[in-house]
């Protein structure tokens, strides 16, 4: 009838009242009843007793995150790793000395028959560099050998005496070589030897063991968040076993963000250690011998610079593979999937929008407003702060499990291709 009252018809879809996102409490309830299957949300205005009449458009589905089982790979022992690094660095150091002090002994008119100009080498500089390169191996032996002793025996005291003697000999040798170099070299050349020490003081301060406070677990930490980290002594890094963050699937956005924050600090500390040690290796193996070269000597600068680059890349891959084992990368990957990512979009989008809430798990594709900006959810589950760029970088680095391992592989392939060329 014209002008009459309209009867009940199909429910109209309103842009101002879109289906709400999934709350953390609803995730726990739905995951317990559905055995980890997909979770859905009802409209706030819908009646709970009429669940059979809910329209499909009033439900938001969040896909579950299924983590693949990662194979257990045996971790590399610290002493074996440090010994292999020392062998590689000593080989590279000898190659640099051969490149610098080589002779043309095969020419008949050459006055000498030896292959290297040994009389031009500074033996104190050579031994000083060798002791710098083996410092990590010695420190690993001093720290890890008989570290946890339950019963004190005669062997323990013998090893302890050996540690003291070894440290004293290395300290006296370093001071003696440095004193001899002061007498025969200019102060500018000696300043080159102190550059890594200055970098160490700027990065770590007056600390010897850089791993003690790597992941501090505060006393006031929430119990649920603290359960996400367990002591794992199967994958040590840089020497001693420490607290290794291990992922724990959680439906609480606060716990996921706390886990991501701790893993960010841990990863940054490990990368700082990797970059510093690889820089020290390339600096003392390739650059320092060039700085102490006599002015009248000829130097093939191109090959010397290539050797420095090769040592830096190879050292970076060696330390990176040791400090960032595959199981550790898998934990970072799982955390990034639960963290999610936000992509900023323009305000001209006419899709339904929600005010962002820190206690809500947002599904993929939803639009939220945060700090006068509009963001679109890109992950399967999204609990990150939209305006925090560190969360976006964390997701970009680890949303693909093999990204870090592929980076190491690409660097080694580049080195091999350049060497073959």
């Amino acid at each position: 009838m014209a002008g009459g009252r309209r009867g009940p018809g199909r429910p109209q879809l309103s842009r101002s009242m879109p289906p709400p996102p999934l709350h953390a409490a609803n995730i726990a309830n739905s995951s317990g009843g559905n055995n980890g299957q997909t979770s859905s949300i009802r409209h706030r205005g819908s009646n709970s007793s009429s669940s059979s009449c809910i329209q499909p458009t009033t439900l938001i589905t969040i896909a579950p995150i299924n983590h693949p089982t990662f194979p257990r790979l045996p971790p590399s022992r610290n002493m074996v790793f440090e010994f292999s690094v020392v062998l590689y660095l000593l080989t590279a150091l000898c190659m640099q000395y051969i490149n610098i002090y080589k002779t043309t002994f095969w020419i008949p008119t050459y006055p000498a028959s030896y292959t290297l100009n040994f009389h031009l080498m500074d033996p104190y500089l050579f031994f000083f560099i060798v002791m710098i390169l083996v410092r990590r191996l010695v420190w690993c032996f001093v720290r890890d050998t008989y570290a946890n002793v339950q019963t004190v025996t005669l062997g323990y005291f013998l090893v302890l005496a050996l540690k003291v003697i070894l440290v004293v000999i290395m300290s006296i040798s370093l001071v003696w070589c440095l004193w001899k170099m002061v007498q025969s070299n200019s102060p500018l050349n000696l300043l080159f030897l102190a550059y890594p020490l200055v970098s160490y003081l700027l990065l770590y301060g007056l600390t010897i063991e850089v791993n003690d406070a790597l992941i501090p677990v505060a006393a006031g930490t929430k119990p649920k968040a603290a359960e996400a980290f367990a002591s794992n002594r199967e994958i040590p890094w840089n020497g001693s076993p420490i607290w290794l963050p291990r992922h724990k699937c959680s439906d609480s956005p606060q716990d996921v963000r706390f886990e991501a924050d701790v893993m960010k600090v841990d990863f940054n500390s490990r990368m700082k250690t990797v970059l510093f040690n690889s820089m020290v290796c390339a600096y003392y193996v390739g650059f320092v011998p060039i700085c102490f070269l006599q002015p009248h000597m000829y130097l093939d600068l191109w090959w010397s610079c290539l050797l420095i680059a090769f040592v830096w890349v190879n050292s970076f891959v060696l330390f990176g593979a040791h400090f960032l084992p595959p199981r550790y990368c898998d934990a970072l990957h799982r955390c990034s999937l639960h963290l999610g990512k936000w992509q900023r979009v323009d305000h001209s989008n006419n899709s339904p929008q929600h005010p962002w809430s820190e206690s809500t798990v947002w599904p993929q594709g939803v639009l939220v407003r945060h700090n006068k900006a509009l963001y679109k959810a890109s992950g399967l589950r999204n609990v990150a702060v939209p305006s925090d760029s560190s969360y976006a970088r964390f997701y970009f680095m680890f949303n693909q499990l093999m990204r870090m391992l592929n980076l190491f592989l690409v660097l080694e392939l580049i080195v091999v291709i350049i060497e073959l060329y």
Side-chain angles (χ1 to χ4, degrees):
M1 181 175 179
R5 188 176 180 179
R6 293 181 181 271
R10 265 189 329 184
Q12 300 294 325
L13 299 178
S14 174
R15 288 183 178 176
S16 61
M17 290 293 294
L22 189 60
H23 196 271
N26 297 334
I27 297 180
N29 297 333
S30 62
S31 61
N34 297 336
N35 296 328
Q37 300 299 322
T38 57
S39 306
S40 58
I41 315 160
R42 288 201 185 106
H43 198 284
R44 286 177 183 158
S46 63
N47 190 2
S48 60
S49 61
S50 58
S51 59
S52 60
C53 300
I54 297 177
Q55 299 294 331
T57 55
T58 61
L59 297 176
I60 292 182
T61 301
I62 296 185
I65 297 178
N66 298 320
H67 300 300
T69 303
F70 197 82
R72 296 181 61 89
L73 301 177
S76 59
R77 293 182 176 273
N78 296 304
M79 288 293 296
V80 176
F81 168 75
E82 298 295 345
F83 184 74
S84 61
V85 171
V86 168
L87 285 182
Y88 167 73
L89 294 178
L90 293 181
T91 304
L93 179 63
C94 293
M95 291 178 61
Q96 182 71 315
Y97 268 83
I98 291 174
N99 181 46
I100 295 175
Y101 298 100
K102 62 180 180 294
T103 63
T104 55
F105 65 95
W106 59 87
I107 300 178
T109 57
Y110 192 76
S113 60
Y114 41 82
T115 59
L116 296 177
N117 292 315
F118 293 100
H119 62 283
L120 298 177
M121 297 182 185
D122 188 351
Y124 302 105
L125 174 64
F126 180 81
F127 288 112
F128 181 85
I129 296 176
V130 169
M131 284 182 287
I132 292 294
L133 297 179
V134 302
R135 78 195 187 283
R136 287 180 53 89
L137 179 61
V138 174
W139 177 247
C140 182
F141 172 76
V142 171
R143 181 190 53 199
D144 293 347
T145 306
Y146 281 90
N148 300 319
V149 178
Q150 302 295 336
T151 304
V152 178
T153 60
L154 179 61
Y156 170 77
F157 290 103
L158 292 178
V159 173
L160 183 61
L162 180 61
K163 292 179 181 180
V164 174
I165 294 174
L166 186 60
V167 171
V168 171
I169 290 177
M170 281 204 63
S171 302
I172 295 177
S173 301
L174 282 172
V175 173
W176 176 255
C177 292
L178 189 60
W179 171 250
K180 288 295 184 180
M181 286 188 291
V182 167
Q183 296 178 348
S184 59
N185 293 276
S186 63
L188 181 60
N189 289 342
L190 297 176
L191 289 178
F192 287 113
L193 299 176
Y195 172 73
L197 178 61
V198 175
S199 302
Y200 183 89
L201 294 177
L202 294 177
L203 291 175
Y204 300 105
L206 298 175
T207 57
I208 298 178
E209 179 58 69
V210 298
N211 308 322
D212 290 340
L214 180 62
I215 308 179
V217 180
T221 305
K222 295 183 296 183
K224 290 184 178 180
E227 290 177 359
F229 312 106
S231 179
N232 188 345
R233 296 184 176 272
E234 296 180 357
I235 307 178
W237 77 280
N238 199 17
S240 61
I242 59 172
W243 283 84
L244 180 72
R246 186 166 27 179
H247 171 71
K248 178 184 178 182
C249 293
S250 176
D251 294 327
S252 173
Q254 290 83 359
D255 291 347
V256 174
R257 285 192 292 268
F258 175 81
E259 182 183 35
D261 291 336
V262 174
M263 287 190 173
K264 283 190 301 182
V265 174
D266 177 70
F267 176 77
N268 292 336
S269 300
R270 291 170 184 265
M271 284 303 301
K272 182 173 66 174
T273 305
V274 170
L275 292 173
F276 175 76
N277 284 282
S278 58
M279 181 273 295
V280 169
C281 294
Y283 185 83
Y284 280 106
V285 169
F287 185 72
V288 171
I290 297 177
C291 296
F292 286 80
L293 189 65
Q294 287 79 0
H296 63 275
M297 291 188 60
Y298 170 76
L299 174 66
D300 193 345
L301 188 60
W302 170 251
W303 285 109
S304 299
C305 294
L306 277 182
L307 182 63
I308 296 174
F310 291 159
V311 172
W312 184 84
V313 173
N314 293 331
S315 302
F316 176 80
V317 173
L318 284 173
F319 286 105
H322 183 66
F323 294 161
L324 307 174
R327 192 175 178 184
Y328 175 76
C329 295
D330 179 60
L332 297 176
H333 167 68
R334 296 187 179 195
C335 179
S336 66
L337 294 183
H338 285 267
L339 183 66
K341 178 188 176 183
W342 296 96
Q343 182 180 1
R344 188 168 182 174
V345 296
D346 54 356
H347 289 273
S348 61
N349 199 315
N350 295 325
S351 300
Q353 303 173 8
H354 310 270
W356 181 79
S357 175
E358 63 179 6
S359 60
T360 304
V361 179
W362 301 90
Q364 187 175 16
V366 72
L367 296 176
V368 300
R369 296 184 302 273
H370 181 69
N371 290 344
K372 300 180 181 180
L374 187 63
Y375 298 90
K376 181 179 181 181
S378 302
L380 296 177
R381 295 188 179 188
N382 303 272
V383 299
V385 180
S387 59
D388 195 339
S389 59
S390 62
Y391 287 133
R393 292 192 298 268
F394 184 83
Y395 182 85
F396 171 77
M397 287 292 298
F398 305 110
N399 67 323
Q400 298 293 332
L401 177 60
M402 301 298 295
R403 177 157 293 169
M404 290 299 300
L405 301 180
N406 289 335
L407 173 63
F408 297 152
L409 179 61
V410 169
L411 290 176
E412 287 300 323
L413 286 178
I414 292 175
V415 170
V416 172
I417 291 174
I418 295 177
E419 288 179 348
L420 292 177
Y421 175 76

